[in-house]
Amino acid sequence: MTPIDLNADLGEGFGRWRLTDDEQLLSVVTSANVACGFHAGDAATMRRVCELAAERAVRIGAQVSYRDLAGFGRRAMDVPSAELTAEVAYQIGALEVFARAAGSRVSYVKPHGALYNRVVHDEEQAGAVVDGVLLAGASLPVLGLPSSRFLKLAERAGLPTVTEAFADRAYTEEGTLVPRSQDGAVITDADAVLERSLGLARFGIVTSHSGERIPVRARSLCLHGDTPGAVDMARRVRAGLESAGVRVEAFA
């Protein structure tokens, strides 16, 4: 059985405001998608999360996004390719400073929110993100939806690609995520999330929003840090996977 990585979005706060329980989630996940200041996060938060991740041997990933603090990176934006490339490289570079200071490094890159969904189909924006990773100066693995334009362009550019699935998000029949604006897009029932996690990890299958079983082959499983009860849910998922004989380990 293929090992599964557990990743979560962390460091999603700034100043005195915190959204995610970083310390507790870092005791469960194997990879941390750290906000790099554009949709959430600031210098002090990035440094703190990198130190906590390094202490626990959790892989540090740069979660790059559109420059959209007010909208938490979940609003559609049209950013020129050259600008987006520079901003992706900027975010990776900023996080790398804190990862290195903590005795670790940035191990992968994952787009966030609206950018993540945009690069599934948008060739130009996907190419700009790939160029940003290359501009940052390292052949970092990139994390994304299977069959996305982003992963295809990254592979063509020589970057390692890692497929990802979501236990707490609803899927369309095409294997993409149901927009958050629709009812039922986010799954908060812990039993349902555990069942979906086991199906994805063991069989590469998930039930779509309409009830159709669809194939989703993934090496990494995402649990959103801002989902209600995220820590308890993450613990249940990891324990359930391990009880089912699934080896939980980082991909990077």
Side-chain angles (χ1 to χ4, degrees):
M1 191 180 298
T2 303
I4 196 77
D5 169 72
L6 290 180
N7 76 76
D9 303 344
L10 301 178
E12 290 185 327
F14 51 89
R16 297 176 60 186
W17 177 71
R18 294 186 184 182
L19 177 62
T20 50
D21 189 342
D22 300 322
E23 187 164 3
Q24 293 301 315
L25 283 167
L26 283 167
S27 68
V28 181
V29 301
T30 48
S31 297
N33 317 316
V34 183
C36 298
F38 273 38
H39 75 281
D42 56 24
T45 301
M46 292 161 68
R47 181 181 183 184
R48 175 179 55 82
V49 175
C50 284
E51 289 173 347
L52 291 170
E55 288 172 4
R56 293 160 174 76
V58 173
R59 302 298 186 268
I60 296 171
Q63 188 162 43
V64 299
S65 77
Y66 288 126
R67 188 189 292 270
D68 182 27
L69 275 176
F72 198 60
R74 288 178 176 162
R75 297 185 294 189
M77 303 184 75
D78 289 314
V79 180
S81 294
E83 184 177 337
L84 181 58
T85 291
E87 292 189 340
V88 166
Y90 179 94
Q91 292 174 78
I92 296 169
L95 187 64
E96 179 70 7
V97 169
F98 299 116
R100 292 284 182 181
S104 186
R105 61 185 177 87
V106 172
S107 296
Y108 65 95
V109 177
K110 174 184 173 177
H112 165 80
L115 182 58
Y116 186 98
N117 291 318
R118 181 77 170 266
V119 299
V120 171
H121 301 296
D122 191 310
E123 183 107 3
E124 183 179 348
Q125 295 281 278
V129 176
V130 171
D131 288 344
V133 177
L134 296 171
L135 182 60
S139 296
L140 294 171
V142 295
L143 195 56
L145 279 186
S147 301
S148 65
R149 295 306 304 160
F150 175 52
L151 291 192
K152 289 178 180 177
L153 291 177
E155 185 174 11
R156 191 181 303 169
L159 297 175
T161 59
V162 182
T163 53
E164 177 181 36
F166 293 80
D168 55 5
R169 288 295 311 278
Y171 277 81
T172 69
E173 292 78 4
E174 292 76 31
T176 57
L177 300 180
V178 172
R180 284 178 175 269
S181 58
Q182 295 186 21
D183 290 339
V186 179
I187 299 166
T188 58
D189 180 81
D191 292 333
V193 171
L194 176 57
E195 181 181 355
R196 290 164 70 85
S197 299
L198 291 169
L200 286 162
R202 299 177 67 193
F203 310 113
I205 295 291
V206 70
T207 301
S208 73
H209 199 45
S210 64
E212 181 179 345
R213 286 162 61 85
I214 58 172
V216 180
R217 297 288 179 180
R219 174 65 177 84
S220 185
L221 188 63
C222 179
L223 296 167
H224 283 93
D226 63 335
T227 300
V231 173
D232 289 339
M233 195 177 295
R235 287 176 177 151
R236 286 195 61 186
V237 167
R238 176 151 190 170
L241 291 172
E242 292 176 337
S243 294
V246 179
R247 191 164 77 253
V248 178
E249 64 179 38
F251 62 82

Short mmCIF file of all heavy atoms in Angstrom, two decimals, residues 134-194:
data_model
loop_
_atom_site.label_atom_id
_atom_site.label_comp_id
_atom_site.label_asym_id
_atom_site.label_seq_id
_atom_site.Cartn_x
_atom_site.Cartn_y
_atom_site.Cartn_z
N LEU A 134 10.75 28.07 -10.06
CA LEU A 134 12.07 28.01 -10.68
C LEU A 134 12.89 29.25 -10.35
O LEU A 134 14.10 29.16 -10.09
CB LEU A 134 11.92 27.86 -12.20
CG LEU A 134 11.25 26.57 -12.68
CD1 LEU A 134 10.97 26.64 -14.18
CD2 LEU A 134 12.12 25.36 -12.36
N LEU A 135 12.26 30.41 -10.34
CA LEU A 135 12.95 31.65 -10.02
C LEU A 135 13.49 31.64 -8.60
O LEU A 135 14.53 32.25 -8.30
CB LEU A 135 12.00 32.84 -10.22
CG LEU A 135 12.57 34.25 -9.98
CD1 LEU A 135 13.74 34.53 -10.92
CD2 LEU A 135 11.48 35.30 -10.17
N ALA A 136 12.79 30.94 -7.69
CA ALA A 136 13.25 30.85 -6.31
C ALA A 136 14.55 30.08 -6.17
O ALA A 136 15.18 30.10 -5.11
CB ALA A 136 12.16 30.21 -5.44
N GLY A 137 14.94 29.38 -7.23
CA GLY A 137 16.28 28.82 -7.27
C GLY A 137 16.43 27.39 -6.81
O GLY A 137 17.55 26.94 -6.57
N ALA A 138 15.33 26.66 -6.70
CA ALA A 138 15.44 25.26 -6.27
C ALA A 138 14.41 24.42 -7.01
O ALA A 138 13.33 24.90 -7.34
CB ALA A 138 15.24 25.15 -4.76
N SER A 139 14.74 23.18 -7.27
CA SER A 139 13.82 22.26 -7.93
C SER A 139 12.89 21.64 -6.89
O SER A 139 12.96 20.43 -6.60
CB SER A 139 14.59 21.19 -8.69
OG SER A 139 15.35 21.75 -9.73
N LEU A 140 12.03 22.46 -6.33
CA LEU A 140 11.15 22.01 -5.25
C LEU A 140 9.97 21.21 -5.79
O LEU A 140 9.41 21.56 -6.83
CB LEU A 140 10.63 23.20 -4.46
CG LEU A 140 11.65 24.01 -3.67
CD1 LEU A 140 11.02 25.28 -3.13
CD2 LEU A 140 12.21 23.17 -2.52
N PRO A 141 9.56 20.15 -5.10
CA PRO A 141 8.32 19.48 -5.46
C PRO A 141 7.14 20.43 -5.33
O PRO A 141 7.15 21.34 -4.48
CB PRO A 141 8.21 18.35 -4.42
CG PRO A 141 9.60 18.17 -3.89
CD PRO A 141 10.24 19.52 -3.95
N VAL A 142 6.14 20.23 -6.17
CA VAL A 142 4.92 21.04 -6.09
C VAL A 142 3.74 20.11 -5.84
O VAL A 142 3.69 18.98 -6.32
CB VAL A 142 4.70 21.87 -7.36
CG1 VAL A 142 5.80 22.90 -7.51
CG2 VAL A 142 4.62 21.00 -8.60
N LEU A 143 2.79 20.62 -5.07
CA LEU A 143 1.63 19.84 -4.63
C LEU A 143 0.39 20.40 -5.31
O LEU A 143 0.16 21.61 -5.32
CB LEU A 143 1.52 19.99 -3.10
CG LEU A 143 0.64 19.05 -2.30
CD1 LEU A 143 1.03 17.59 -2.52
CD2 LEU A 143 0.75 19.39 -0.82
N GLY A 144 -0.43 19.51 -5.90
CA GLY A 144 -1.63 19.98 -6.57
C GLY A 144 -2.59 18.86 -6.92
O GLY A 144 -2.32 17.68 -6.65
N LEU A 145 -3.72 19.23 -7.53
CA LEU A 145 -4.73 18.25 -7.91
C LEU A 145 -4.22 17.37 -9.05
O LEU A 145 -3.55 17.86 -9.97
CB LEU A 145 -6.01 18.95 -8.37
CG LEU A 145 -7.00 19.46 -7.32
CD1 LEU A 145 -8.25 19.97 -8.02
CD2 LEU A 145 -7.37 18.40 -6.30
N PRO A 146 -4.56 16.08 -9.03
CA PRO A 146 -4.19 15.21 -10.15
C PRO A 146 -4.75 15.76 -11.47
O PRO A 146 -5.84 16.33 -11.51
CB PRO A 146 -4.86 13.88 -9.79
CG PRO A 146 -5.03 13.92 -8.31
CD PRO A 146 -5.27 15.36 -7.97
N SER A 147 -3.98 15.62 -12.52
CA SER A 147 -4.38 16.02 -13.88
C SER A 147 -4.54 17.53 -14.05
O SER A 147 -5.08 17.98 -15.07
CB SER A 147 -5.70 15.33 -14.30
OG SER A 147 -5.54 13.93 -14.26
N SER A 148 -4.07 18.32 -13.11
CA SER A 148 -4.16 19.78 -13.26
C SER A 148 -3.12 20.28 -14.25
O SER A 148 -2.08 19.65 -14.47
CB SER A 148 -3.95 20.46 -11.90
OG SER A 148 -2.63 20.22 -11.42
N ARG A 149 -3.39 21.43 -14.84
CA ARG A 149 -2.41 22.05 -15.74
C ARG A 149 -1.14 22.38 -14.97
O ARG A 149 -0.03 22.28 -15.49
CB ARG A 149 -2.98 23.33 -16.35
CG ARG A 149 -4.17 23.15 -17.25
CD ARG A 149 -3.89 22.14 -18.36
NE ARG A 149 -2.72 22.50 -19.14
CZ ARG A 149 -2.02 21.64 -19.90
NH1 ARG A 149 -2.36 20.37 -19.94
NH2 ARG A 149 -0.98 22.06 -20.60
N PHE A 150 -1.30 22.76 -13.72
CA PHE A 150 -0.16 23.12 -12.88
C PHE A 150 0.83 21.97 -12.77
O PHE A 150 2.04 22.14 -13.00
CB PHE A 150 -0.68 23.52 -11.50
CG PHE A 150 0.39 23.81 -10.48
CD1 PHE A 150 1.42 24.69 -10.76
CD2 PHE A 150 0.35 23.20 -9.23
CE1 PHE A 150 2.41 24.97 -9.81
CE2 PHE A 150 1.31 23.47 -8.27
CZ PHE A 150 2.35 24.35 -8.57
N LEU A 151 0.35 20.78 -12.44
CA LEU A 151 1.26 19.64 -12.29
C LEU A 151 1.86 19.24 -13.63
O LEU A 151 3.04 18.85 -13.70
CB LEU A 151 0.54 18.46 -11.65
CG LEU A 151 0.13 18.60 -10.19
CD1 LEU A 151 -0.28 17.25 -9.61
CD2 LEU A 151 1.24 19.21 -9.33
N LYS A 152 1.09 19.34 -14.70
CA LYS A 152 1.61 18.96 -16.01
C LYS A 152 2.72 19.91 -16.45
O LYS A 152 3.76 19.48 -16.97
CB LYS A 152 0.48 18.95 -17.04
CG LYS A 152 -0.49 17.79 -16.83
CD LYS A 152 -1.63 17.82 -17.83
CE LYS A 152 -2.58 16.64 -17.58
NZ LYS A 152 -3.75 16.66 -18.50
N LEU A 153 2.53 21.21 -16.23
CA LEU A 153 3.56 22.19 -16.60
C LEU A 153 4.78 22.07 -15.69
O LEU A 153 5.92 22.22 -16.15
CB LEU A 153 2.99 23.60 -16.54
CG LEU A 153 1.95 23.95 -17.60
CD1 LEU A 153 1.42 25.36 -17.38
CD2 LEU A 153 2.55 23.84 -19.00
N ALA A 154 4.55 21.79 -14.42
CA ALA A 154 5.67 21.61 -13.50
C ALA A 154 6.52 20.41 -13.90
O ALA A 154 7.76 20.48 -13.91
CB ALA A 154 5.14 21.43 -12.08
N GLU A 155 5.86 19.32 -14.25
CA GLU A 155 6.59 18.12 -14.67
C GLU A 155 7.40 18.40 -15.94
O GLU A 155 8.55 17.98 -16.07
CB GLU A 155 5.62 16.97 -14.91
CG GLU A 155 6.29 15.65 -15.22
CD GLU A 155 5.30 14.51 -15.32
OE1 GLU A 155 4.07 14.78 -15.34
OE2 GLU A 155 5.74 13.35 -15.36
N ARG A 156 6.79 19.14 -16.85
CA ARG A 156 7.49 19.50 -18.09
C ARG A 156 8.71 20.36 -17.81
O ARG A 156 9.72 20.30 -18.52
CB ARG A 156 6.52 20.25 -19.03
CG ARG A 156 7.03 20.45 -20.44
CD ARG A 156 6.00 21.24 -21.26
NE ARG A 156 4.70 20.57 -21.27
CZ ARG A 156 3.59 21.14 -21.72
NH1 ARG A 156 3.61 22.40 -22.15
NH2 ARG A 156 2.46 20.47 -21.73
N ALA A 157 8.65 21.18 -16.74
CA ALA A 157 9.76 22.05 -16.37
C ALA A 157 10.82 21.33 -15.54
O ALA A 157 11.82 21.94 -15.15
CB ALA A 157 9.24 23.26 -15.62
N GLY A 158 10.58 20.06 -15.23
CA GLY A 158 11.55 19.29 -14.47
C GLY A 158 11.35 19.31 -12.97
O GLY A 158 12.23 18.86 -12.22
N LEU A 159 10.22 19.83 -12.50
CA LEU A 159 9.94 19.85 -11.06
C LEU A 159 9.25 18.55 -10.64
O LEU A 159 8.37 18.06 -11.35
CB LEU A 159 9.04 21.03 -10.70
CG LEU A 159 9.59 22.44 -10.96
CD1 LEU A 159 8.52 23.48 -10.65
CD2 LEU A 159 10.84 22.69 -10.12
N PRO A 160 9.61 18.01 -9.49
CA PRO A 160 8.88 16.85 -8.97
C PRO A 160 7.42 17.25 -8.68
O PRO A 160 7.17 18.34 -8.17
CB PRO A 160 9.62 16.49 -7.68
CG PRO A 160 10.96 17.16 -7.81
CD PRO A 160 10.73 18.39 -8.62
N THR A 161 6.49 16.38 -8.99
CA THR A 161 5.08 16.68 -8.76
C THR A 161 4.47 15.66 -7.80
O THR A 161 4.80 14.48 -7.83
CB THR A 161 4.28 16.66 -10.08
OG1 THR A 161 4.40 15.37 -10.70
CG2 THR A 161 4.81 17.73 -11.03
N VAL A 162 3.57 16.15 -6.94
CA VAL A 162 2.93 15.31 -5.93
C VAL A 162 1.42 15.56 -6.01
O VAL A 162 0.97 16.70 -5.92
CB VAL A 162 3.45 15.64 -4.52
CG1 VAL A 162 2.80 14.72 -3.49
CG2 VAL A 162 4.97 15.53 -4.46
N THR A 163 0.66 14.49 -6.17
CA THR A 163 -0.79 14.63 -6.26
C THR A 163 -1.40 14.69 -4.86
O THR A 163 -0.92 14.08 -3.92
CB THR A 163 -1.40 13.45 -7.03
OG1 THR A 163 -0.96 12.23 -6.45
CG2 THR A 163 -1.00 13.50 -8.49
N GLU A 164 -2.48 15.43 -4.77
CA GLU A 164 -3.11 15.72 -3.48
C GLU A 164 -4.61 15.47 -3.53
O GLU A 164 -5.26 15.67 -4.56
CB GLU A 164 -2.84 17.18 -3.10
CG GLU A 164 -3.49 17.62 -1.81
CD GLU A 164 -3.23 19.08 -1.49
OE1 GLU A 164 -3.19 19.90 -2.43
OE2 GLU A 164 -3.07 19.39 -0.30
N ALA A 165 -5.17 15.02 -2.41
CA ALA A 165 -6.61 14.88 -2.27
C ALA A 165 -7.06 15.57 -0.99
O ALA A 165 -6.25 15.86 -0.11
CB ALA A 165 -7.01 13.40 -2.23
N PHE A 166 -8.37 15.82 -0.90
CA PHE A 166 -8.95 16.55 0.23
C PHE A 166 -10.02 15.70 0.89
O PHE A 166 -11.03 15.37 0.27
CB PHE A 166 -9.54 17.88 -0.24
CG PHE A 166 -8.52 18.86 -0.74
CD1 PHE A 166 -8.02 18.75 -2.03
CD2 PHE A 166 -8.06 19.88 0.08
CE1 PHE A 166 -7.06 19.64 -2.49
CE2 PHE A 166 -7.11 20.78 -0.38
CZ PHE A 166 -6.61 20.65 -1.67
N ALA A 167 -9.80 15.37 2.16
CA ALA A 167 -10.78 14.57 2.89
C ALA A 167 -11.96 15.40 3.34
O ALA A 167 -13.06 14.86 3.55
CB ALA A 167 -10.11 13.93 4.10
N ASP A 168 -11.77 16.72 3.50
CA ASP A 168 -12.83 17.55 4.06
C ASP A 168 -13.43 18.53 3.05
O ASP A 168 -14.04 19.52 3.43
CB ASP A 168 -12.31 18.33 5.29
CG ASP A 168 -11.06 19.15 4.99
OD1 ASP A 168 -10.64 19.20 3.81
OD2 ASP A 168 -10.51 19.74 5.93
N ARG A 169 -13.26 18.23 1.77
CA ARG A 169 -13.86 19.05 0.72
C ARG A 169 -14.66 18.17 -0.23
O ARG A 169 -14.28 17.03 -0.52
CB ARG A 169 -12.78 19.80 -0.09
CG ARG A 169 -12.10 20.93 0.66
CD ARG A 169 -13.05 22.08 1.00
NE ARG A 169 -13.82 22.52 -0.15
CZ ARG A 169 -13.37 23.36 -1.08
NH1 ARG A 169 -12.16 23.88 -0.97
NH2 ARG A 169 -14.13 23.71 -2.10
N ALA A 170 -15.78 18.70 -0.72
CA ALA A 170 -16.60 17.98 -1.67
C ALA A 170 -16.00 18.08 -3.08
O ALA A 170 -15.38 19.08 -3.44
CB ALA A 170 -18.01 18.56 -1.67
N TYR A 171 -16.20 17.02 -3.85
CA TYR A 171 -15.66 16.93 -5.21
C TYR A 171 -16.77 16.96 -6.25
O TYR A 171 -17.89 16.47 -6.02
CB TYR A 171 -14.90 15.61 -5.39
CG TYR A 171 -13.47 15.63 -4.89
CD1 TYR A 171 -13.19 15.47 -3.54
CD2 TYR A 171 -12.41 15.80 -5.76
CE1 TYR A 171 -11.89 15.48 -3.08
CE2 TYR A 171 -11.10 15.81 -5.31
CZ TYR A 171 -10.85 15.65 -3.97
OH TYR A 171 -9.55 15.67 -3.52
N THR A 172 -16.44 17.51 -7.42
CA THR A 172 -17.33 17.40 -8.58
C THR A 172 -17.06 16.07 -9.28
O THR A 172 -16.09 15.37 -8.96
CB THR A 172 -17.07 18.54 -9.57
OG1 THR A 172 -15.77 18.35 -10.18
CG2 THR A 172 -17.10 19.90 -8.89
N GLU A 173 -17.89 15.74 -10.25
CA GLU A 173 -17.69 14.51 -11.01
C GLU A 173 -16.42 14.55 -11.83
O GLU A 173 -15.88 13.51 -12.23
CB GLU A 173 -18.88 14.25 -11.94
CG GLU A 173 -20.19 13.92 -11.24
CD GLU A 173 -20.88 15.15 -10.68
OE1 GLU A 173 -20.39 16.28 -10.91
OE2 GLU A 173 -21.91 14.98 -9.99
N GLU A 174 -15.89 15.76 -12.10
CA GLU A 174 -14.66 15.91 -12.88
C GLU A 174 -13.40 15.78 -12.03
O GLU A 174 -12.29 15.87 -12.54
CB GLU A 174 -14.65 17.27 -13.60
CG GLU A 174 -15.70 17.41 -14.70
CD GLU A 174 -17.09 17.63 -14.14
OE1 GLU A 174 -17.23 18.24 -13.06
OE2 GLU A 174 -18.05 17.15 -14.79
N GLY A 175 -13.57 15.60 -10.74
CA GLY A 175 -12.41 15.47 -9.86
C GLY A 175 -11.86 16.78 -9.36
O GLY A 175 -10.77 16.82 -8.78
N THR A 176 -12.60 17.88 -9.54
CA THR A 176 -12.20 19.18 -9.00
C THR A 176 -13.01 19.46 -7.74
O THR A 176 -13.96 18.74 -7.41
CB THR A 176 -12.44 20.29 -10.03
OG1 THR A 176 -13.83 20.31 -10.42
CG2 THR A 176 -11.59 20.06 -11.28
N LEU A 177 -12.62 20.50 -7.02
CA LEU A 177 -13.29 20.82 -5.76
C LEU A 177 -14.55 21.65 -5.99
O LEU A 177 -14.56 22.56 -6.81
CB LEU A 177 -12.33 21.59 -4.84
CG LEU A 177 -11.03 20.88 -4.47
CD1 LEU A 177 -10.19 21.78 -3.55
CD2 LEU A 177 -11.30 19.53 -3.81
N VAL A 178 -15.59 21.32 -5.25
CA VAL A 178 -16.82 22.11 -5.30
C VAL A 178 -16.51 23.50 -4.72
O VAL A 178 -15.91 23.60 -3.65
CB VAL A 178 -17.93 21.42 -4.49
CG1 VAL A 178 -19.15 22.33 -4.36
CG2 VAL A 178 -18.31 20.10 -5.13
N PRO A 179 -16.88 24.58 -5.40
CA PRO A 179 -16.61 25.92 -4.88
C PRO A 179 -17.19 26.12 -3.49
O PRO A 179 -18.28 25.63 -3.16
CB PRO A 179 -17.31 26.84 -5.90
CG PRO A 179 -17.37 26.03 -7.15
CD PRO A 179 -17.55 24.61 -6.71
N ARG A 180 -16.45 26.85 -2.65
CA ARG A 180 -16.88 27.07 -1.28
C ARG A 180 -18.20 27.85 -1.19
O ARG A 180 -18.85 27.83 -0.14
CB ARG A 180 -15.79 27.82 -0.51
CG ARG A 180 -14.60 26.95 -0.12
CD ARG A 180 -13.52 27.75 0.58
NE ARG A 180 -12.44 26.90 1.07
CZ ARG A 180 -12.38 26.35 2.27
NH1 ARG A 180 -13.36 26.57 3.14
NH2 ARG A 180 -11.37 25.59 2.63
N SER A 181 -18.57 28.52 -2.26
CA SER A 181 -19.83 29.26 -2.25
C SER A 181 -21.05 28.34 -2.29
O SER A 181 -22.17 28.78 -2.03
CB SER A 181 -19.88 30.21 -3.45
OG SER A 181 -19.73 29.49 -4.67
N GLN A 182 -20.85 27.07 -2.60
CA GLN A 182 -21.97 26.12 -2.68
C GLN A 182 -22.14 25.37 -1.36
O GLN A 182 -21.17 25.08 -0.66
CB GLN A 182 -21.73 25.13 -3.81
CG GLN A 182 -21.72 25.75 -5.20
CD GLN A 182 -21.62 24.71 -6.30
OE1 GLN A 182 -21.94 23.54 -6.10
NE2 GLN A 182 -21.18 25.13 -7.47
N ASP A 183 -23.38 25.06 -1.04
CA ASP A 183 -23.68 24.30 0.17
C ASP A 183 -23.00 22.93 0.11
O ASP A 183 -23.02 22.26 -0.92
CB ASP A 183 -25.19 24.10 0.32
CG ASP A 183 -25.91 25.40 0.65
OD1 ASP A 183 -25.25 26.33 1.13
OD2 ASP A 183 -27.14 25.47 0.42
N GLY A 184 -22.44 22.53 1.24
CA GLY A 184 -21.82 21.21 1.32
C GLY A 184 -20.42 21.14 0.77
O GLY A 184 -19.84 20.05 0.70
N ALA A 185 -19.84 22.27 0.40
CA ALA A 185 -18.50 22.26 -0.17
C ALA A 185 -17.45 21.84 0.84
O ALA A 185 -16.45 21.20 0.49
CB ALA A 185 -18.16 23.63 -0.75
N VAL A 186 -17.67 22.22 2.11
CA VAL A 186 -16.74 21.85 3.18
C VAL A 186 -17.42 20.80 4.05
O VAL A 186 -18.56 20.99 4.50
CB VAL A 186 -16.35 23.07 4.03
CG1 VAL A 186 -15.42 22.65 5.17
CG2 VAL A 186 -15.68 24.13 3.17
N ILE A 187 -16.74 19.69 4.29
CA ILE A 187 -17.30 18.59 5.07
C ILE A 187 -16.76 18.68 6.50
O ILE A 187 -15.54 18.63 6.71
CB ILE A 187 -16.93 17.24 4.43
CG1 ILE A 187 -17.52 17.18 3.02
CG2 ILE A 187 -17.42 16.07 5.27
CD1 ILE A 187 -16.95 16.08 2.17
N THR A 188 -17.64 18.82 7.46
CA THR A 188 -17.23 19.02 8.85
C THR A 188 -17.55 17.82 9.74
O THR A 188 -17.13 17.79 10.90
CB THR A 188 -17.89 20.28 9.43
OG1 THR A 188 -19.32 20.15 9.34
CG2 THR A 188 -17.44 21.52 8.68
N ASP A 189 -18.30 16.85 9.22
CA ASP A 189 -18.63 15.67 10.01
C ASP A 189 -17.41 14.77 10.12
O ASP A 189 -16.89 14.28 9.11
CB ASP A 189 -19.79 14.91 9.36
CG ASP A 189 -20.17 13.67 10.15
OD1 ASP A 189 -20.91 13.80 11.15
OD2 ASP A 189 -19.68 12.57 9.80
N ALA A 190 -16.93 14.54 11.35
CA ALA A 190 -15.68 13.81 11.55
C ALA A 190 -15.75 12.38 11.03
O ALA A 190 -14.76 11.86 10.47
CB ALA A 190 -15.32 13.81 13.04
N ASP A 191 -16.89 11.72 11.19
CA ASP A 191 -17.02 10.35 10.69
C ASP A 191 -16.91 10.30 9.17
O ASP A 191 -16.28 9.40 8.61
CB ASP A 191 -18.35 9.75 11.14
CG ASP A 191 -18.42 9.50 12.64
OD1 ASP A 191 -17.35 9.31 13.25
OD2 ASP A 191 -19.54 9.52 13.19
N ALA A 192 -17.54 11.28 8.52
CA ALA A 192 -17.49 11.32 7.06
C ALA A 192 -16.07 11.60 6.57
O ALA A 192 -15.60 11.00 5.59
CB ALA A 192 -18.45 12.39 6.54
N VAL A 193 -15.38 12.51 7.26
CA VAL A 193 -14.00 12.83 6.87
C VAL A 193 -13.10 11.61 7.03
O VAL A 193 -12.27 11.31 6.16
CB VAL A 193 -13.46 14.02 7.69
CG1 VAL A 193 -11.98 14.22 7.44
CG2 VAL A 193 -14.23 15.29 7.33
N LEU A 194 -13.27 10.87 8.11
CA LEU A 194 -12.47 9.66 8.32
C LEU A 194 -12.77 8.62 7.24
O LEU A 194 -11.84 8.01 6.68
CB LEU A 194 -12.76 9.08 9.70
CG LEU A 194 -12.08 7.75 10.02
CD1 LEU A 194 -10.57 7.86 9.89
CD2 LEU A 194 -12.46 7.28 11.42
#
